[in-house]
Amino acid sequence: MTKRYLSQLVLITLISLIGLSVFGINPYLMVFLMVIAFGIVIYDNDRNYQIKVRQDNLELTNRVRSTSNDAHLKHKQLVTLVSNIPLPLLLIDAEGKIVMYNEQFEIFKESKQSEALTYSQNDFKTGVHEFVFDAYLMESIRQKAIEDNGQHYEAISVPVYSNKVYSGCVILFQDISRIKEREEMQKQFIADASHELKTPIAAIKGMVEILNREDFDDEATRKDFLIQIEKENERLEQIVLGLLELSKLNRDTLVLQRNMIDFTQIADSCANSFKETMKKEHITLVRDYQSHKPVFVDAAKMTIVINNLLSNAIKYSGAGSIITLKSLEAGDCYIFSITDTGKGIAAEELAKIFERFYRIDKDRARFSGGIGIGLSIVKSIIDAHDAKISVKSELNSGTTFVIELYY
Ligand code: ADP
C-alpha cells in the first residue's frame, strides 16, 4: 500500500467526520458517500498499480531484448572482423575451446571435419597443432616459425585477459615466404660473390708467394707474374664495381628518373663510345631505326643496359661481324633489339644467362674479361621499368636481345 493511498483514505474519513459533526449530514448518507469514496480510491490505486507493473515489465523486456541484440551485434562484428583479416587467425576461449577461425586458416586443417575443436584436440597440421597447444597452455606472448608446403609462416599468439583473468588467446599466422626467399637469395648472392672473388685473390696470393721466395731470380717469370697480377687485380676491381652496381639495382629501392626520350638517341651515344673498339675489330654497325617515338625511361639506367648488350655483342662476336640496332613499334609496345652475327648461345643456356655470375664458358669468359654480372644488371633495370627482355640465338650464327617497352 502506498503513502498516497493511505493519505487519501485518511482524508475521506476526516471529511466525513466534519460533514457529520459540523454540517449535520445524515449519518447513513455519510456512510454511503464514504463507501463510494473508498471504492473509487481503491479502484484508482489498483489501476495505477497495474499500469506501473505493466510499464515495469515492458521496460524489463526491452532491456533484455536490447542486451541480446547488443550481444548478437558484437558477435556479428567479431565474425566480420575475424573473417576480413587477410591472415590465418584463430580464437581460443578460457576453457580451451576453439571458438572461431577464419577461412584463411582452413589451409592448416588436415580434414574438413567441423566438430567442436579444442586446443588439445584439433585436426590441424603438425606444426600448427603444437603451436596451438602451447599457446593456450603457456598464457604468454609466443612466436614461432612454421613451414607448410614450402610456405613460411610466423605464428604469433597473444593471451587475452578479462578483469585480470585469463580468458583464452588469439593466434595469428603471418606469411613470411617472401622475406625467407629474399634471405635465401641474399645468402646465395654472398656465396656466389665470395666464390668469384676467391679465384683472383688465390691467383694473386700464389704468384706473390713465388715472387717472395728467397731463391727466386727468374726475371722473365717475374715480369709475366706482375702482368698477371695486374690483370687479376683489374678483374677484382671489375667484380667489386659490378657488385656495387648490382646492389644499387634492388627493385624495391631503385628510384628511376624517367623522361620521355627517343630510345635511339641512347643507343647512338652508347654505340659512339664503342666506335674505336668496333673499328679495331672490323665490326660493322647497322642502324635500322623504324621508330623514333619517345619512350618513358631512365636514360642513365638504359645507357647501362645498352652498354652491356653492345659490349657483349662485340665481345662474343669477334672480328668481321655485323651488329644491328633496330627500333620499331608494335601496338602499344616499343621494341628495341641488338643483333650480332657472333658465336651464339646454345638453347639450354638461354634461360640461365640472366642469372648472376653465370658464364657459359667460364675459361673463355675469364679470358675475355667476363664476370657474369652484366646481364643480371640489364635484367634488374628492365624489370624496374616494368619492361621485358628476351633473347633469341642460334649457335655459330648469332644472337638477338629484344627489349619491349610499354606506353
Ligand atoms: P659476362 O660478364 O660474362 O659477359 P654477362 O652476364 O653479360 O656476363 O653474360 C653472361 C653470359 O652470357 C656470358 O658469359 C656469355 O657466355 C653469354 N652471352 C651474353 N651475351 C652474349 C652474346 N651476345 N653472344 C653470345 N653469348 C653471350
Side-chain angles (χ1 to χ4, degrees):
M1 221 183 275
T2 63
K3 269 186 190 166
R4 188 169 151 261
Y5 185 38
L6 273 175
S7 57
Q8 278 173 341
L9 292 180
V10 171
L11 191 69
I12 290 169
T13 314
L14 272 175
I15 292 171
S16 307
L17 287 174
I18 293 168
L20 271 175
S21 54
V22 180
F23 300 105
I25 296 173
N26 183 322
Y28 294 111
L29 182 63
M30 200 64 247
V31 170
F32 178 68
L33 287 173
M34 259 178 77
V35 170
I36 288 178
F38 279 163
I40 290 170
V41 168
I42 290 166
Y43 171 76
D44 186 48
N45 272 288
D46 188 48
R47 209 173 58 117
N48 281 346
Y49 176 72
Q50 279 182 18
I51 289 171
K52 193 169 177 323
V53 167
R54 230 178 287 144
Q55 270 176 351
D56 283 354
N57 278 348
L58 196 70
E59 209 174 288
L60 193 70
T61 317
N62 281 343
R63 220 181 299 152
V64 169
R65 200 175 290 152
S66 105
T67 313
S68 87
N69 276 351
D70 239 32
H72 184 67
L73 191 74
K74 276 183 185 142
H75 181 77
K76 239 173 113 179
Q77 282 171 340
L78 184 66
V79 171
T80 314
L81 187 81
V82 167
S83 54
N84 275 294
I85 288 176
L87 306 170
L89 185 114
L90 175 94
L91 301 184
I92 304 180
D93 72 5
E95 281 83 44
K97 274 189 239 140
I98 293 168
V99 281
M100 204 177 284
Y101 56 83
N102 59 8
E103 214 182 298
Q104 281 82 351
F105 190 83
E106 293 280 347
I107 50 165
F108 296 134
K109 286 188 78 180
E110 286 287 20
S111 68
K112 285 273 167 222
Q113 70 166 53
S114 55
E115 68 189 50
L117 303 171
T118 67
Y119 76 97
S120 59
Q121 290 174 308
N122 61 60
D123 70 340
F124 307 146
K125 295 188 175 165
T126 319
V128 177
H129 179 104
E130 282 162 11
F131 189 78
V132 169
F133 188 88
D134 291 351
Y136 173 72
L137 290 182
M138 298 294 181
E139 300 185 18
S140 59
I141 295 179
R142 296 178 65 74
Q143 247 169 305
K144 197 179 175 192
I146 290 174
E147 203 212 315
D148 176 48
N149 263 341
Q151 292 290 105
H152 295 267
Y153 296 89
E154 173 96 323
I156 303 158
S157 84
V158 182
V160 178
Y161 290 93
S162 173
N163 295 328
K164 295 187 181 165
V165 177
Y166 179 61
S167 49
C169 61
V170 181
I171 303 175
L172 191 79
F173 295 80
Q174 194 185 354
D175 192 340
I176 52 162
S177 307
R178 264 199 65 157
I179 300 171
K180 277 268 167 204
E181 202 181 302
R182 270 203 217 138
E183 262 175 32
E184 283 308 312
M185 276 171 69
Q186 246 162 13
K187 269 190 217 162
Q188 190 58 44
F189 180 69
I190 290 169
D192 291 347
S194 318
H195 179 78
E196 289 304 312
L197 291 166
K198 239 164 62 185
T199 320
I201 288 173
I204 293 172
K205 194 172 169 232
M207 286 184 278
V208 170
E209 267 171 21
I210 296 171
L211 289 176
N212 267 339
R213 273 190 207 151
E214 295 273 315
D215 56 345
F216 185 82
D217 61 353
D218 182 346
E219 189 54 23
T221 310
R222 194 183 70 87
K223 270 194 178 158
D224 183 41
F225 274 13
L226 284 177
I227 292 168
Q228 283 189 54
I229 286 172
E230 197 178 4
K231 267 195 185 160
E232 293 296 348
N233 197 43
E234 269 168 23
R235 190 172 168 72
L236 271 178
E237 199 180 354
Q238 242 188 315
I239 295 173
V240 172
L241 290 177
L243 289 175
L244 281 175
E245 193 60 53
L246 207 56
S247 72
K248 280 191 252 158
L249 296 174
N250 183 327
R251 197 194 162 121
D252 298 337
T253 51
L254 179 65
V255 182
L256 294 177
Q257 289 179 341
R258 296 197 201 208
N259 281 305
M260 293 303 284
I261 185 166
D262 177 356
F263 202 83
T264 61
Q265 281 178 13
I266 302 173
D268 280 347
S269 99
C270 293
N272 222 18
S273 61
F274 287 104
K275 217 161 99 186
E276 286 310 312
T277 323
M278 286 194 279
K279 203 169 150 192
K280 232 168 45 192
E281 296 280 327
H282 303 287
I283 292 172
T284 312
L285 185 78
V286 177
R287 290 181 178 85
D288 178 11
Y289 295 157
Q290 296 170 25
S291 170
H292 287 277
K293 193 169 175 176
V295 282
F296 193 49
V297 295
D298 183 324
K301 295 280 180 293
M302 282 301 180
T303 301
I304 298 175
V305 168
I306 302 297
N307 272 339
N308 270 297
L309 295 178
L310 255 178
S311 88
N312 277 352
I314 295 167
K315 215 161 49 178
Y316 301 110
S317 290
S321 59
I322 301 165
I323 294 175
T324 309
L325 306 179
K326 186 173 175 178
S327 73
L328 59 102
E329 281 168 52
D332 61 348
C333 186
Y334 174 91
I335 300 171
F336 191 87
S337 62
I338 298 180
T339 304
D340 64 59
T341 53
K343 63 190 195 109
I345 303 165
E348 66 272 17
E349 307 277 3
L350 284 177
K352 301 178 214 156
I353 57 170
F354 291 100
E355 287 170 18
R356 280 178 311 219
F357 302 112
Y358 191 80
R359 284 156 294 166
I360 295 168
D361 183 343
K362 293 213 173 199
D363 291 337
R364 196 111 53 97
R366 262 183 81 73
F367 181 70
S368 61
I371 53 167
I373 291 181
L375 287 181
S376 53
I377 290 176
V378 165
K379 178 88 169 67
S380 303
I381 295 174
I382 295 292
D383 283 351
H385 279 82
D386 287 321
K388 244 170 85 177
I389 183 157
S390 54
V391 56
K392 287 179 267 180
S393 189
E394 217 172 291
L395 267 183
N396 303 318
S397 180
T399 305
T400 301
F401 283 90
V402 182
I403 297 168
E404 288 172 51
L405 295 161
Y406 303 94
Y407 298 121

